[in-house]
Amino acid sequence: AQSVTQLDSQVPVFEEAPVELRCNYSSSVSVYLFWYVQYPNQGLQLLLKYLSGSTLVKGINGFEAEFNKSQTSFHLRKPSVHISDTAEYFCALDSGGGADGLTFGKGTHLIIQP
Amino acid sequence: EAQVTQNPRYLITVTGKKLTVTCSQNMNHEYMSWYRQDPGLGLRQIYYSMNVEVTDKGDVPEGYKVSRKEKRNFPLILESPSPNQTSLYFCASSLTYSGANVLTFGAGSRLTVL
């Protein structure tokens, strides 16, 4: 069975400060990993994805994530956050073995303080 | 504009009154899926469809039905809604089912069952 653990349910951070949102996963096979963002009252949209190749993945809005196979992690980072980054962030995993969809973490609410 | 459209966006209903949440995509995607989002639980898959007339259960299918008679539409049916189905529902689609394909999400349908 596969699973995704987002270690923090809420992360408060001051504007222009760096942020890291943590994600660990468990899977017995190779995985594809995703970060999705949900702005207030909206659906989810893709921030970035890791399929293969370079372990450092860059996404939209200045976010990046690093795939670490030995630590089974896929942490999301941004060097300087803005008020507009306030949102719910979901880490998700797919083992590529079937059509039963993504396994999502429970989400991390990023709260930007002025 | 490429999109997934869900209706209604908001609905308050009473226990036992059948309802349907519609989902339509204009991208000629083969794969479609329904998720529910609950606080502290993240997103959980209800049902998915690989193509027309092909549907299968996700992680939390109890109390729901789906159909896929046309490629573009994937309605979610609650035959006899109960209060524990109060949730935020998302429809999503992708070109095919491959773990590498990115899901496009609808804006969500917030359902309250009294």
Side-chain angles (χ1 to χ4, degrees):
Chain A
Q2 55 195 32
S3 66
V4 176
T5 302
Q6 292 184 243
L7 296 158
D8 305 296
S9 60
Q10 283 193 97
V11 173
V13 63
F14 287 106
E15 196 172 15
E16 297 184 10
V19 69
E20 178 179 83
L21 305 184
R22 296 180 293 169
C23 173
N24 285 91
Y25 69 91
S26 173
S27 175
S28 58
V29 297
S30 296
V31 296
Y32 302 125
L33 290 160
F34 304 81
W35 277 99
Y36 282 84
V37 60
Q38 182 182 28
Y39 298 108
N41 299 314
Q42 295 185 28
L44 282 74
Q45 58 183 277
L46 182 73
L47 263 183
L48 49 78
K49 62 182 178 182
Y50 171 78
L51 304 181
S52 64
S54 172
T55 57
L56 183 62
V57 181
K58 294 191 183 295
I60 62 171
N61 300 338
F63 284 92
E64 63 181 33
E66 184 152 21
F67 171 61
N68 188 319
K69 189 175 182 179
S70 62
Q71 296 189 8
T72 61
S73 68
F74 190 54
H75 300 332
L76 181 70
R77 302 185 182 100
K78 185 169 183 178
S80 176
V81 296
H82 304 285
I83 289 286
S84 58
D85 293 322
T86 297
E88 192 87 17
Y89 292 79
F90 291 95
C91 183
L93 169 158
D94 191 284
S95 63
D100 53 351
L102 295 173
T103 299
F104 283 88
K106 294 182 179 180
T108 298
H109 189 195
L110 178 60
I111 301 167
I112 310 300
Q113 301 168 329
Chain B
E1 180 189 351
Q3 60 186 356
V4 176
T5 304
Q6 298 178 226
N7 281 295
R9 293 287 315 280
Y10 302 91
L11 179 63
I12 300 174
T13 189
V14 295
T15 299
K17 186 175 181 182
K18 181 180 178 180
L19 68 92
T20 299
V21 185
T22 63
C23 173
S24 181
Q25 50 91 5
N26 62 359
M27 297 166 282
N28 201 34
H29 284 175
E30 290 185 351
Y31 181 84
M32 298 185 75
S33 180
W34 276 102
Y35 290 86
R36 61 177 288 174
Q37 181 183 11
D38 301 290
L41 296 178
L43 280 82
R44 294 176 293 168
Q45 191 179 51
I46 304 170
Y47 269 94
Y48 63 91
S49 171
M50 298 278 283
N51 213 326
V52 176
E53 302 291 2
V54 182
T55 63
D56 209 344
K57 296 177 181 178
D59 297 320
V60 288
E62 294 78 18
Y64 304 95
K65 285 176 56 177
V66 293
S67 68
R68 187 93 182 270
K69 295 180 178 147
E70 305 165 281
K71 199 171 188 178
R72 63 184 294 124
N73 295 324
F74 190 45
L76 180 70
I77 303 158
L78 285 74
E79 293 271 2
S80 182
S82 63
N84 64 12
Q85 293 178 296
T86 292
S87 187
L88 179 58
Y89 291 87
F90 288 101
C91 183
S93 71
S94 64
L95 186 61
T96 61
Y97 195 74
S98 154
N101 280 343
V102 175
L103 287 170
T104 300
F105 283 83
S109 295
R110 186 170 292 281
L111 171 65
T112 302
V113 183
L114 302 175

